[in-house]
Amino acid sequence: MKKNIFLSLQPLSRWMYIPVFGVLLLATGVAMAQRAVTAKPFLVEGVAQPVMLLNGAWDFSVEGRPGKAAINVPGEWGMQGFTVNEGETALYTRPLNIPEDWRGKRIMLRFEGVSSHAAVLVNGKKLAEHEGSFVPFETDITEALQQTGNILQVAVQALTISDRLACTSQYAVHTVGGILRNVVLMAVPEVHIRDLIVTTSFDKKYKNCVLSVNAGLSAAVPVSVLYTLRNKEGQSVEKKLSNAESQISKQELRIRGPHQWNPESPYLYELTAELQQNGRTIEVVKQKVGFRQVEIKEARVYVNGQPIKLHGVNRHSVYPLTGRSIDAELDVKDAVLFRNANCNFIRTSHYPPTEAFLNACDSLGLFVEDESSLCWIQHGASPIWKKWDYQDERFLPYMLQANVEKVVAHRNHPSVILWSLGNESAWSPLWEKVNAAVKQLDPTRPTLLHDQCWGGFNNYGSKADIANYHYPGLNGGAATDTMSRPVLFGEYAHLATYNRRELLTDPGQRGFYGAPLARMYDSMYYHDKCLGGAIWSGIDDVFHLPDGRIVGYGPWGPLDAWRRQKPEYFGMKKAYTPVKVTGIDMDNKTGRFITLHIENRYDFTSLKGIKITALFDDDAAQPLASMIPARGNGTLKIPVKKGAQQLRVQFADPRGFLANEELYDLREDKRSTHPPLAAYKFEVAENESSIAITRDSLQFLISKSTGIITSIRNGGRTLVSRGPVFAVIPRNSEDGGKPNVAGETYQNDIYPLKGYSLYTTFTNNLVVQKMADSVRVKMNSNFSDGSHAGITYTFLANRLKVEYEMVYKGGVEQPYQYGMLLQLPKDMDQLSWQRKGEFTAYPENDIARLKGTARLNAKSTTGVEEWGIVPANEWKDDATEMGSNDFRSSKRNIYTVVLRNEAGRSIKAWGKGRQTSRSWLQDGAIQWLIADYCNNGSEPFYGSPFTEGRINIKGQTLKGGVELEF
């Protein structure tokens, strides 16, 4: 039906007009009309239901091909098994049945998002064309309608110019094509409210406020508009009648002491606009209103006169089975999940969100950075810029349109406090014009472009209101002190995802995320010009294509794509807690009080409004009170119950979720202390090949040639079939090996890494020392990689202590872990542990919890996840052939770890709160590593503090060991 708009792109005129209703917008030499969308009517005279969704089954065909099929709208065609190639046109068709009581009204048809070019036809007449994927557009279809038998068609192409400028399909690693969001049909009077714009402006004391209302009307005829503002209880607060004889109705409502909107208290009023003509109400439009004002003063961002700190995530619209097209229920669920994780901020990367998501943010309390669908313009991640000139003015109309349409659609939402012009793009004169256009259209919010404010790959000199930096290190917060603008860390603390093979091997790395994040956010919090930041990213970007492939950028979210909470979710919740406990004092003299040192990190809320409770052991909760103001510090004194063993302190957010919880063990810590040992006599027997050390039914067999313990048996049953032997686990940043441009290598058929101990060639100077209650075996061991070590075994009662001092000559220079590796029978498949935590309390389903039990439950997979299956279990119970996430994940800072079988045979390792335990199934046996060294993993996109602790062991002397109990 049309040429491919991408392939046929030609230089455009400097002056471009979009022929739709609105005010002419002049932006530094570029003129375009303000594209408006009609305010949805709540009531229309004589109409029972003035708004109707056209979602559901439509007919689908591809021009030039025979046949048609049913397709679900909204939805991506690719996620429903349809292929439409670049340059081809897909045709959506459905009957259009107009209700009888709509006759005589204007009929408006709105599409909330079509990717990426749409032509709208009614009864074969083309009424509108639109370019751009994630913004609403509409057309008046009244004149094209027939009495009966109306047919609606939408001709859609993907991979057109807006897709290329936004990298929409490239980013999703599949073609994102189709009607992605709701299709809405509306009936409005001949004279109707075309759009309704509300702004709020406080006085200098931020006490009283002016609500300015600007209503655009469809015709200049004598009408009046009655404006009524009601509070959330439905009571009228203010009412004004405005007579309008032009196409614009302006009114100011002066509100004394309104409830202010902020994310900690997201109070919403409702404004009703009643359009009256000849004494009759012909239309009613309703608009939620939040009283909030955004300002920049002295390189800080203020909301309602209070400086704010943003702590949140980047969010993609994604669901594995539907792709970039998700329903309103999931939009709301995302907002709830992030709010409950102490986020106060969402960056909508890298396209505008749905109306449903913004409504949820308005009501639940989340600041939003609303980003236009423009991405990687003059960036290496988008190869097209090797061919195109990023300063070519032919791109300007599309860049303007992507921003203007978004602003017009979303400017009434109080949650939206920042307009993002685009993602990771080079500033140019084109962006300067776009920025000016957005500022002219909405001067009430700051703008930003995601380039870099210092250093980095995109330092092109953005002149937007907010400076931006991606992936700073621990010194990033301090670096903002010298800036003249507020600085947002638009992406930071990248979750591990590009070291895919290493993550698949040890999902425990996800439990390591929280503590460095808490340090990172602290480094941002204490520097005023650092506005805050958004973690990359919020949700795993994974698409289960109907042909059996799984594509995308993969598991980089605290939530997986099914919305299950991963370990990073809790780490984020702790790092972002608004009630931070910075220390604890025990009253050792009288034992009457415990004192918590507290930092209130709420921007607007005193702890007077927070429900605080203390629970001793299993007793009833005791209420506590604190008057620490927002952004203040203080102490909380807790009367101690005599003889109490455990104290749990909870801080409940007024919005109905737990903001923080601390758990303190009040007993003397004996977790690292061994119980007393009874004296046992050992028998030692030697032959030409081995040494057997026996105590009752417990027997250890040592090879004389290698010095390795080849068997540990109890009652004739094997507990250990080999080891402990020294092992080095190398760091691994392999992402799966697929050729790619920007890292989108998530795919099937990648497998975990196997881990082996060093190959021992021989031992010498082997000496056996037999004492009254113990046996010591000392030796010098040599390994095939040239390393050599002094090793000592000490057998005491039912314990074995292994110590090593190794000069490492191997080829692994930068390890992930090293320590002693044991091999156990496959039936030793139950793991239990106690460990010292980075935080005092963890959820019961967290792999990093302080104590717990996990089962092996190994399962053969292709190394990623099951295609097309909605998981019914928790994330910790996902499994590969190496075992479940819970079983095979590293447990840090262990006090004790136990592996046992169903028969009750067990082995315990004592870690003294310093070592790391990792267990997995490999080569038909359980491998068990007790590591003396462990870092956070090899993710390449997250620097300090995550990278701290990485070492080079080449030529170094390494010391450590393991202590086991049988």
Side-chain angles (χ1 to χ4, degrees), residues 3 36 94 103 167 198 210 240 260 281 326 420 426 512 522 550 560 593 608 623 634 638 690 695 796 898 942:
K3 293 180 182 178
R94 63 158 290 154
R103 301 195 184 278
C167 294
V198 297
V210 174
K240 274 196 175 182
Q260 298 184 9
T281 296
I326 65 175
S420 171
F512 302 163
D522 285 351
I550 302 177
D560 76 0
F593 291 98
K608 180 181 179 181
I638 304 173
S690 64
R695 194 225 74 191
L796 178 65
V898 179
Y942 186 5

Side-chain angles (χ1 to χ4, degrees), residues 254-486:
R254 299 186 178 275
I255 312 301
R256 296 183 61 83
H259 293 280
Q260 298 184 9
W261 187 98
N262 63 65
E264 296 158 23
S265 179
Y267 192 99
L268 292 174
Y269 291 80
E270 185 174 73
L271 177 69
T272 300
E274 296 182 42
L275 183 63
Q276 299 176 350
Q277 187 178 39
N278 300 325
R280 308 186 330 269
T281 296
I282 61 173
E283 183 185 29
V284 175
V285 170
K286 293 189 175 184
Q287 173 65 54
K288 295 292 185 183
V289 175
F291 284 89
R292 76 95 190 92
Q293 181 173 318
V294 186
E295 301 164 285
I296 296 178
K297 296 183 288 188
E298 298 178 345
R300 301 182 74 179
V301 175
Y302 290 74
V303 170
N304 299 342
Q306 298 296 320
I308 62 170
K309 187 72 72 171
L310 301 179
H311 42 89
V313 298
N314 286 267
R315 175 195 181 250
H316 275 295
S317 295
V318 61
Y319 187 68
L321 304 182
T322 62
R324 291 278 183 252
S325 181
I326 65 175
D327 61 27
E329 183 179 353
L330 202 52
D331 277 323
V332 174
K333 184 175 184 177
D334 286 352
V336 170
L337 283 165
F338 287 125
R339 183 205 63 173
N340 291 359
N342 292 324
C343 294
N344 73 346
F345 172 56
I346 305 293
R347 176 190 175 210
T348 65
S349 54
H350 298 299
Y351 36 82
T354 64
E355 196 74 16
F357 183 73
L358 290 179
N359 288 338
C361 293
D362 291 343
S363 61
L364 293 168
L366 286 163
F367 285 133
V368 173
E369 174 192 345
D370 198 337
E371 185 153 285
S372 298
S373 192
L374 295 165
C375 182
W376 292 337
I377 295 177
Q378 189 60 15
H379 187 292
S382 179
I384 196 65
W385 298 105
K386 294 179 180 179
K387 175 181 178 181
W388 289 352
D389 177 4
Y390 73 103
Q391 299 190 69
D392 192 329
E393 290 221 355
R394 64 179 177 154
F395 301 119
L396 179 58
Y398 303 105
M399 295 165 67
L400 277 168
Q401 184 172 326
N403 277 275
V404 168
E405 290 182 331
K406 173 197 70 178
V407 173
V408 169
H410 294 163
R411 58 188 163 190
N412 285 341
H413 289 278
S415 58
V416 177
I417 64 166
L418 302 173
W419 297 124
S420 171
L421 309 180
N423 176 59
E424 289 186 336
S425 297
W427 186 261
S428 72
L430 305 188
W431 286 115
E432 196 159 345
K433 293 173 183 178
V434 172
N435 189 56
V438 172
K439 295 296 294 180
Q440 183 181 347
L441 192 57
D442 178 25
T444 71
R445 294 174 175 89
T447 61
L448 70 156
L449 175 73
H450 285 258
D451 70 340
Q452 307 290 81
C453 68
W454 76 88
F457 53 81
N458 267 340
N459 190 12
Y460 284 81
S462 163
K463 293 181 176 62
D465 298 325
I466 306 289
N468 195 278
Y469 193 70
H470 285 193
Y471 305 111
L474 195 58
N475 64 343
T480 66
D481 292 345
T482 63
M483 299 298 152
S484 60
R485 295 175 292 170

Side-chain angles (χ1 to χ4, degrees), residues 697-698 700 712-715 717-720 798-800 822 824-825 827-833 896-910 928 963-966:
S697 61
L698 188 62
F700 304 85
I712 302 175
R713 297 170 67 83
N714 192 355
R717 299 297 181 99
T718 299
L719 295 178
V720 176
N798 59 339
R799 300 221 177 96
L800 166 63
L822 297 87
L824 285 64
D827 68 346
M828 301 290 279
D829 61 359
Q830 183 171 308
L831 176 77
S832 301
W833 70 91
T896 60
V897 178
V898 179
L899 277 168
R900 59 170 51 88
N901 63 13
E902 291 287 351
R905 295 183 178 83
S906 66
I907 307 174
K908 178 187 290 187
W910 295 81
W928 189 16
E963 190 162 353
L964 303 172
E965 180 178 313
F966 304 92

